[in-house]
Structure formats: C-alpha cells, structure tokens
Amino acid sequence: MTITADTTMDVLVAEMTVAKNSANATLDNQQASDYILSQEIIERFVSVYKQLNKDNLGLLGDIYSEDICFIDPLHKIAGLTALTSYFETLYQNVESIDFVIHQVVRDDGAAALKWTMNLVHPKLNTGNIISVDGMSLLMFTDKINHHQDYFDLGAMLYEQLPIVGGLIGFIKSKVAK
C-alpha cells in the first residue's frame, strides 16, 4: 500500500476528530457531573433551610464550608462557627420561619435563589406573620463557601416596629401621592 499525502492527511484528520470527540465526551461528562453536584448542593441547601430552627443549627455544617462568607443587609460573617453563633442569636426568639423557594438559577459553581421568607417573631408586627421577598446568591465547590442575601430590611424589620413602622407607613403614603 502506498501512503500519499492525502491519505496521511485523512488519517490525521480522522485521529484529530476521534481525539476531539473523546475530549468533548470527557467535557460533557464533567459538565454533567458538575451539574449533578450543583443540583445536590442546592437541594441540600433548600432541605436544611426548610427544617432549620434554634434546636438544629448544627445542620449548617452540612451545607456550608468552614470558611463560609455570609453576608446579609445587617452583617458580614466569616467562618462556620461565627455563622452558627449569628443564627443562634437570630433564631433565639423566632416562633416560626419558613422559606418558599420560587426560582433557582444556576451556573458553574454558583446559584441564585428567589424566595419568600415567612417569619413570626413576638417583637415584630405584634407577633403576626411577616412575609419578605428576597434572593440568595450562593457560590460553592463541594459546599457553599459564599452566601449573600438580598432583601428589604425595612419591610422585615423597621416597618414592623410600633413607632418607626407607623412613621415609615406615613412617609410611604405621602410619597405615593
């Protein structure tokens, strides 16, 4: 058999095609694996927050890394131990809290969750339920290492206080006119 330049080129092209398809299959497998991992992390996160209360804050270690950076409109917390202490303070007087997840958008190593928090606290809104919409930005590898919450702190806190809430309601009614 005589090997010509065209035959050699055809063989090289065929080998390159096989190599490319093999790399794409590996990449597709990696993408599928990453997608499954991110799905598992998000499902764990939602599951933990659906059952989280002052008696089971140890569950935070199931979803957050030791070096978690947690940010909300009130605080920036570094580390799992500090975050657990923060939640102990937050949950101390909470009578009930529930998160309804409306939407999840995910990307490589990150997710955004749109939610409504339903909270009952004896010192806010005379102990009646408060509903606040918000979103969480999560970044992760095998566990969540960055969590930032965005929500209207005024709607959750300030508007629920007896004197301040009345003043804010008055100001809102004047601005709306």
Side-chain angles (χ1 to χ4, degrees):
M1 176 172 144
T2 307
I3 298 178
T4 65
D6 286 341
T7 306
T8 304
M9 185 58 76
D10 289 342
V11 169
L12 287 173
V13 168
E15 288 175 355
M16 288 172 47
T17 301
V18 168
K20 179 181 175 202
N21 288 340
S22 175
N24 284 342
T26 302
L27 183 60
D28 290 343
N29 288 340
Q30 183 62 45
Q31 288 172 330
S33 178
D34 289 348
Y35 180 84
I36 291 168
L37 178 61
S38 73
Q39 183 66 25
E40 289 172 356
I41 290 169
I42 294 164
E43 286 174 3
R44 258 190 325 222
F45 175 81
V46 171
S47 174
V48 165
Y49 271 83
K50 283 191 176 287
Q51 58 184 314
L52 196 63
N53 63 56
K54 65 183 173 186
D55 298 321
N56 65 4
L57 294 174
L59 291 174
L60 295 172
D62 293 348
I63 57 173
Y64 292 119
S65 66
E66 287 294 325
D67 63 344
I68 179 68
C69 175
F70 179 92
I71 303 168
D72 69 11
L74 290 171
H75 298 90
K76 180 176 182 178
I77 313 269
L80 183 57
T81 302
L83 180 63
T84 303
S85 295
Y86 176 60
F87 272 67
E88 285 172 355
T89 302
L90 285 178
Y91 277 72
Q92 189 172 6
N93 293 313
V94 169
E95 291 179 6
S96 72
I97 187 167
D98 175 55
F99 290 88
V100 179
I101 308 298
H102 303 291
Q103 184 178 13
V104 177
V105 178
R106 83 182 124 256
D107 196 10
D108 293 337
L113 291 83
K114 182 179 176 192
W115 45 261
T116 300
M117 175 180 59
N118 300 301
L119 170 72
V120 176
H121 190 289
K123 296 181 181 178
L124 300 174
N125 196 27
T126 62
N128 294 312
I129 194 165
I130 302 166
S131 293
V132 178
D133 293 325
M135 69 144 305
S136 296
L137 173 63
L138 308 176
M139 291 184 226
F140 46 82
T141 50
D142 59 330
K143 288 188 174 184
I144 299 165
N145 53 34
H146 181 89
H147 176 161
Q148 186 160 2
D149 281 341
Y150 299 89
F151 59 88
D152 182 353
L153 183 61
M156 184 185 101
L157 184 61
Y158 306 128
E159 292 178 23
Q160 309 310 322
L161 299 173
I163 297 171
V164 175
L167 180 59
I168 291 173
F170 175 75
I171 292 169
K172 280 185 169 182
S173 70
K174 294 298 181 187
V175 170
K177 289 183 181 183

